[in-house]
Amino acid sequence: MGDMPGPYVVRGSVSLPEAELMWRFSRSSGPGGQHVNTSDSQVELRFDLARTEALPPVWKERALERLAGRLVGGVLVVRASEHRSQWRNRETAAVRMAGLLAEATAPPPRTRRPTRIPRGINERRLREKKQRSETKRGRSARDWS
């Protein structure tokens, strides 16, 4: 097996620094046959979001705020155990981590600027409404005289 594929890009030129990723391996539940009892295929990837220098300060602040519920002492933890091979679980965990950070550091959506309804449209609506009411009024069987 070769090295882990290149840097995991969060967004733009910012990527997860390999040095700041902490890996832990353990036995995974699920399929695997006889091999399952001897191999540590479950992967736990930790990234210290509170102390990292890899993210721009604005992004870091945003991520800390948005991921507050998932952080344990400022550390973001991602687990992967879907695959039988540790290698593929490492891939999955790193990609998931990068995705989480990309989502958490994304700029907030632009605020909606309310638009005014053109006067003509409003007048037409009221005109049609009045016409409809006249039509319905004409249907009543009352004798007005």
Side-chain angles (χ1 to χ4, degrees), residues 16-76:
L16 290 175
E18 196 62 51
E20 291 185 31
L21 298 178
M22 295 164 278
W23 298 93
R24 228 178 85 202
F25 308 103
S26 55
R27 294 200 179 132
S28 177
S29 61
Q34 294 168 329
H35 179 64
V36 79
N37 300 325
T38 57
S39 68
D40 293 342
S41 61
Q42 177 173 295
V43 172
E44 186 179 280
L45 175 58
R46 295 167 165 273
F47 179 66
D48 196 339
L49 189 56
R51 291 207 196 98
T52 188
E53 294 298 317
L55 300 175
V58 180
W59 286 21
K60 189 169 151 180
E61 216 171 281
R62 216 181 275 157
L64 282 168
E65 193 180 304
R66 290 183 185 170
L67 296 172
R70 282 198 65 150
L71 299 176
V72 181
V75 178
L76 181 61

